[in-house]
Amino acid sequence: MIRKFYFLDTTLKFGAKAFKLIMAHKNLETSYILLPYEPAKYEHSGAVGPDDLLFGLHMWKRAVLTCRQAGFRRIFLVSDDGLETMNLNHMEGGGALADIEFISRENAAVMANEDESALILDWNTVLQPGLLKKLNSGESDGTTKILLDRNDKPVGLAFMDGAAVRKFFAGSARHELSAAEWAKNGEERNGATGISPSDTADQFYGSVTNRSELRLAEKGLLVGTRHRPHYFMDTHFHSIFSTMISRWLLYTPLTANQVTLMGLPIALASFWLFSRGDYWSGLLAGLLLVFSAIWDCCDGEIARLKFQQTDHGEALDLAVDNITNVATFTGLALGYSKLVGQPLAFGLTFILLVAGFLIFMAVYFPRSQGKAGRFTGTFLEPLVYILVTRDYVYVVLLFCLLGKAGEFLWLAAIGSSLLALILWTGRALISPEGKTKTASA
């Protein structure tokens, strides 16, 4: 009988350990954002306070939206004073819906679940949601860890097991203790390990305490938006100029969608200039097209830095891009028709638009498979990403410089027809799972 109970007890203990091990590798869902005791003390001190703006967002709101977009479903704003100055209304931003509420440190110590690990984040810790999501999936293994900057100094971010969370709030209920201060205290850390994320050369993260650090955070976050896999010109050329424009736009009331719509007048101006058919109008139209490609990067940068990424915004951006393309080719046709006549000019444009529509359908549908669709992971994927960019504007500009703007229609009509044939042939050979049908047979 004793052996049976011993066997049962051992089995239950083993099961509990296995369950904890499985749970340890789940992404954390709870985050605590630490607010200062007296937010008003920052107003005339020269230091950065929770109500200071970073790209049009209060620092504390940016922390909330970062956690929200990184996938945290329960967000607690921890403070014992100054709650009347904080407002949860109009919490815009993408990401999963999250429960957001204020609690005191004392209540946090009571509410903390010893079986649930959590993120502790200082209100002035700035990082991109993608980096936080990466850290959450790779480092939240149920043990207590602290984030280190590139100089191995603690940043105000820590992953804590449930017992450490409760002890942290119990110890800081009577005095203001930030995650960064806790991390610097060797005794309080209880053997917590430091983590330094890899592959973050283009991503900013750190604590912001003064104006100079705020400016560094602005620059770092903007630079972080430049890296766009599959988009060579956007990464290495367009973003150099677009981030300069976006830095100014970010402190205006303009939303990302409004910036997208502001690209339409540029497209219409290019259409009118191309339709004139003379050299200098064509050259100016070509330069405007290049500027439109740069402007096209701004809405995405603003959307990411103001947490305004939505499916509606992506659809609007795609619609404006297509209107710009149609306006460009129609303007070129009108200008070219003055040299060769309308039948030839508009015949080439018709072929181009039909081929463009077939390319659009091949790339973007079905929408559930993403931008590259079933071409993802195949030899045609690089070609797809070239087609969805605006890099063709440089070919147009070259033709304009040579005084042959209308001749571009020949290249575009023939080239797009061949590309449409290649893509639809590829779709016929590639299964919806992204494998060639001959290989999967």
Side-chain angles (χ1 to χ4, degrees):
M1 191 70 174
I2 294 176
R3 287 183 178 179
K4 288 183 179 180
F5 278 115
Y6 175 76
F7 176 77
L8 180 61
D9 181 64
T10 304
T11 303
L12 290 174
K13 287 182 178 178
F14 177 79
K17 288 182 178 179
F19 177 76
K20 285 186 176 181
L21 184 62
I22 293 172
M23 293 300 290
H25 290 280
K26 288 185 63 178
N27 289 357
L28 304 186
E29 294 188 342
T30 302
S31 61
Y32 296 88
I33 299 175
L34 307 181
L35 298 175
Y37 269 58
E38 300 177 359
K41 72 181 181 182
Y42 294 93
E43 292 181 3
H44 306 290
S45 65
V48 174
D51 284 325
D52 279 300
L53 299 178
L54 176 56
F55 290 143
L57 285 173
H58 297 297
M59 292 289 293
W60 70 274
K61 279 191 177 181
R62 180 168 290 278
V64 171
L65 293 173
T66 298
C67 290
R68 182 181 180 180
Q69 198 170 91
F72 288 88
R73 303 193 66 83
R74 291 185 299 278
I75 301 174
F76 296 103
L77 290 163
V78 185
S79 179
D80 296 280
D81 192 14
L83 300 187
E84 70 280 356
T85 67
M86 306 298 181
N87 185 5
L88 285 179
N89 293 332
H90 310 297
M91 287 298 293
E92 300 176 354
L97 293 178
D99 294 326
I100 306 171
E101 61 180 281
F102 284 104
I103 59 172
S104 66
R105 291 178 183 247
E106 186 175 353
N107 288 337
V110 175
M111 291 176 57
N113 186 346
E114 291 194 1
D115 294 326
E116 182 182 23
S117 300
L119 168 73
I120 307 294
L121 184 71
D122 288 340
W123 62 269
N124 63 338
T125 298
V126 178
L127 73 164
Q128 295 166 328
L131 177 57
L132 180 55
K133 190 173 184 178
K134 177 182 176 182
L135 291 172
N136 190 21
S137 61
E139 303 292 350
S140 56
D141 58 1
T143 61
T144 300
K145 296 184 177 181
I146 57 173
L147 180 63
L148 303 177
D149 64 16
R150 293 176 178 83
N151 296 318
D152 290 332
K153 294 181 179 180
V155 176
L157 182 153
F159 295 102
M160 296 187 187
D161 60 63
V165 172
R166 177 169 289 189
K167 184 176 181 181
F168 171 82
F169 285 117
S172 65
R174 293 178 298 275
H175 64 281
E176 184 174 358
L177 181 65
S178 66
E181 292 169 338
W182 173 86
K184 293 175 184 177
N185 190 329
E187 295 179 359
E188 292 291 336
R189 280 167 50 180
N190 290 325
T193 56
I195 53 174
S196 297
S198 58
D199 302 326
T200 58
D202 59 341
Q203 297 188 59
F204 173 85
Y205 66 95
S207 299
V208 175
T209 59
N210 54 53
R211 301 295 165 181
S212 62
E213 290 176 348
L214 187 66
R215 300 285 86 79
L216 287 174
E218 288 180 343
K219 182 179 179 180
L221 290 174
L222 274 169
V223 169
T225 65
R226 290 183 181 178
H227 182 62
R228 296 158 194 168
H230 309 297
Y231 300 97
F232 181 83
M233 290 302 294
D234 282 355
T235 299
H236 300 286
F237 181 70
H238 296 157
S239 61
I240 296 174
F241 302 97
S242 66
T243 51
M244 297 179 187
I245 301 170
S246 295
R247 188 165 192 164
W248 174 76
L249 292 173
L250 281 161
Y251 282 102
T252 69
L254 292 172
T255 66
N257 288 345
Q258 290 169 339
V259 172
T260 300
L261 290 173
M262 289 172 67
L264 287 175
I266 304 173
L268 294 176
S270 295
F271 162 78
W272 179 74
L273 288 167
F274 275 132
S275 69
R276 291 171 61 86
D278 62 90
Y279 177 82
W280 292 108
S281 295
L283 181 58
L284 183 56
L287 292 172
L288 272 178
L289 268 186
V290 172
F291 177 72
S292 73
I294 294 171
W295 184 268
D296 190 44
C297 295
C298 294
D299 55 359
E301 292 162 356
I302 292 169
R304 285 188 287 275
L305 293 174
K306 280 192 171 183
F307 300 90
Q308 295 175 346
Q309 295 165 288
T310 62
D311 292 338
H312 171 71
E314 184 179 356
L316 180 64
D317 183 57
L318 181 61
V320 171
D321 284 348
N322 285 318
I323 291 172
T324 300
N325 293 337
V326 172
T328 297
F329 301 136
T330 305
L332 284 168
L334 286 171
Y336 193 44
S337 67
K338 296 177 180 179
L339 297 176
V340 298
Q342 291 185 358
L344 177 59
F346 284 98
L348 291 172
T349 305
F350 177 76
I351 295 172
L352 171 58
L353 292 177
V354 171
F357 175 76
L358 291 174
I359 291 172
F360 177 83
M361 295 298 294
V363 171
Y364 286 98
F365 289 90
R367 295 286 289 168
S368 59
Q369 293 183 341
K371 183 171 287 188
R374 66 178 64 185
F375 300 109
T376 302
T378 69
F379 68 96
L380 287 174
E381 184 179 10
L383 175 62
V384 169
Y385 278 103
I386 291 173
L387 292 173
V388 299
T389 67
R390 299 271 291 279
D391 294 351
Y392 76 88
V393 300
Y394 294 97
V395 182
V396 176
L397 180 61
L398 177 61
F399 274 79
C400 292
L401 285 168
L402 296 173
K404 303 289 184 180
E407 308 291 342
F408 172 78
L409 290 174
W410 285 94
L411 175 64
I414 297 171
S416 59
S417 299
L418 290 174
L419 291 172
L421 179 62
I422 292 171
L423 288 179
W424 279 98
T425 303
R427 279 178 66 99
L429 296 175
I430 298 170
S431 68
E433 292 76 23
K435 299 178 181 178
T436 58
K437 292 182 179 179
T438 54
S440 59

